Amino acid sequence: MVDIVNIRAHAKDLLEKGTVKMVLGYQRGTAGVLAEPAFITDAGQADHLVWDPTCVQNLALYLVNEKKAQSHQRDPDTRPIAIIAKGCDSRAVAVLLQERHFERKDVHVIGVSCGTLGVVDKNKLSKALNGRVATKVEPHGTDSFKVTTAEGFVDVAAADVLADRCLECACAYPAMHDVVFGEKHEDRGYPARFTALGQLEAKSEDERWAYWEGHFNRCLRCYACRSVCPMCYCPECVVDSIELMVDPTTSADEKANRIKWIERSAVASENSMYHLVRAIHLAGRCIDCAECERVCPVDIPIRMLNNKLEKEAKDMFGYEPGLDPELPSLVASFRDDDPNSFIR
Amino acid sequence: MASTPTQTPKDPSVFEPRIVAFLCKWCSSAGSDLAGVSRMQYPSNAVPITVMCSGSVSPVYILSAFNKGADGVLVSGCHPGDCHYLKGNYFARRKIFLVQKLLSFIGIEKDRFRMSWVSAAEGAKFAQVVEEFVRDIRTLGPQRKLKAKR
Ligand code: SF4
Ligand code: SF4
């Protein structure tokens, strides 16, 4: 069990001593039951921190944003940032370190173990509550949640409301940390990793295309999935190049000749391009925090695309992302015995 | 149903596959030249695009080719160990493998995307690779799934 009191005390200590400039954590949200990110810079506010199964966000994103902000500051505060990280979040930090986005000394990882549980899926929760509105979710034992609603308490089985990725999680304990709260559980008793993916893979080619075409068709290209991903940090994305300055003297020729790999219109073919490019760019980097899928307003199963490449990388190249910041990344390395038989 | 425009004006009812072939400058491109100067007969359906190295072929090129209407995409480079830049084709192999898996996962026919090793001396192999590719794509028909509908 993770006691929030200990986390608060640790955060307060860090801020009082000034060893970190900020603690990234969670606080009670103002919109619904989910916690929201908290940016604590003052030891007095450390008591706002919360830790419960509604702390869904991957805060590694804000490490990236902070790094970007720093590059525009004349005299940036270069003290480390402390981040409260679940297993998946700590792997995201490891990938960012691997890519030298920042250095190990720039971040203080306060690991929290999800134990045998994880975080809730908001949609599954409201379904399980039959329309009642949850105001609080607490762990209850090792396999259920105690949910508070206006009508009283409800006990909900964890397997019914855990986020999909938590059900298949193999790293609920943050391997990379400076301090850690909570214990490690070897067998969490949920489906094996890639169970959902396997079901999709088992469908026929036509069924899979029908499935994906249907989903790609609905994508709004709002790019929420891109914005929320800690690994999608490029200042300019290949799908919408913005670098070309357009001013009154920009010729029509220049505008026309700008490289445009993908049209901006949200039609099926361009959406497919976007999703394939996004998935490929995250190969070996995505750590399955499933934030992209969570924020999608039209529920596109983005996670399956990421999972597919994660599985192939694991099966064929023995590569798992976010385990060791010192390893070379998936597509920047190779082995002599990589599969070759598919090549003519 | 609108028939896909083809490059052969002779008979529009016959499907002529359009293949985009990314060939590395040092081996495969030279291999295709050799096939040409040796006057080997092979289908003219492949549009060659010479790149500096198979490792420089970004997945975006491949996807973009499909988006712009290619029925098949071929990436060809030097044999393992022969890369002019020593390691480029090994990187390519990993990337191409992942792209291939992803494409077939979303339901694109596996045979539409191919990689081959063709050295500068293998003109005959190049001709054979293209011939087989064209034959396989002929049976698959035009690629419509990723083609831009504009
Ligand atoms: S997949 Fe969802 S979140 Fe991503 S751009 Fe499309 S609609 Fe937006
Ligand atoms: S692609 Fe999605 S699941 Fe993967 S790291 Fe980015 S937000 Fe998380």
Side-chain angles (χ1 to χ4, degrees), chain A residues 56-58 61 165 219 222-232 274-275 278-279 282 286-307:
Chain A
V56 295
Q57 297 88 351
N58 181 350
L61 169 68
R165 69 161 193 287
C219 172
C222 63
Y223 299 136
C225 46
R226 182 181 74 183
S227 306
V228 81
C229 178
M231 262 52 103
C232 272
Y274 166 63
H275 281 279
R278 198 199 60 83
L282 282 152
C286 167
I287 42 68
D288 201 19
C289 63
E291 281 288 271
C292 44
E293 188 165 308
R294 180 181 68 87
V295 297
C296 179
V298 291
D299 292 331
I300 294 182
I302 310 170
R303 186 175 159 251
M304 287 297 110
L305 293 173
N306 302 331
N307 268 201

Side-chain angles (χ1 to χ4, degrees), chain A residues 71 76 88 115 126 152 213 246 262 266:
Chain A
S71 64
C88 44
S126 43
E213 189 186 27
V246 178
I262 301 168

Side-chain angles (χ1 to χ4, degrees), chain A residues 162-235:
Chain A
L162 276 180
D164 287 345
R165 69 161 193 287
C166 297
L167 285 174
E168 296 184 356
C169 178
C171 59
Y173 182 82
M176 195 191 66
H177 58 253
D178 292 284
V179 318
V180 67
F181 298 94
E183 330 47 61
K184 189 171 184 166
H185 289 269
E186 287 305 338
D187 182 20
R188 292 166 25 96
Y190 298 118
R193 191 129 186 79
F194 305 129
T195 303
L197 175 69
Q199 286 160 0
L200 190 52
E201 283 176 330
K203 293 183 191 230
S204 74
E205 191 171 79
D206 289 343
E207 284 171 330
R208 288 197 307 268
W209 174 247
Y211 177 87
W212 286 113
E213 189 186 27
H215 283 304
F216 291 158
N217 247 323
R218 297 183 303 112
C219 172
L220 312 167
R221 293 277 284 290
C222 63
Y223 299 136
C225 46
R226 182 181 74 183
S227 306
V228 81
C229 178
M231 262 52 103
C232 272
Y233 51 59
C234 298

Side-chain angles (χ1 to χ4, degrees), chain A residues 204-210 212-213 216 268-269 272-273 276 305, chain B residues 62-63 66-67 70-73 99-114 137 140-147 149:
Chain A
S204 74
E205 191 171 79
D206 289 343
E207 284 171 330
R208 288 197 307 268
W209 174 247
W212 286 113
E213 189 186 27
F216 291 158
S269 64
S272 316
M273 284 286 288
L276 295 173
L305 293 173
Chain B
I62 298 157
L63 298 170
F66 281 123
N67 178 263
D71 299 308
V73 177
V99 173
Q100 208 173 47
K101 288 290 173 186
L102 186 64
L103 284 173
S104 79
F105 178 58
I106 67 156
I108 309 297
E109 299 86 351
K110 210 167 142 271
D111 272 338
R112 291 203 186 273
F113 177 43
R114 225 163 246 190
I137 292 190
L140 287 175
Q143 185 273 125
R144 296 207 175 81
K145 291 175 178 170
L146 294 180
K147 187 174 172 197
K149 297 168 189 73

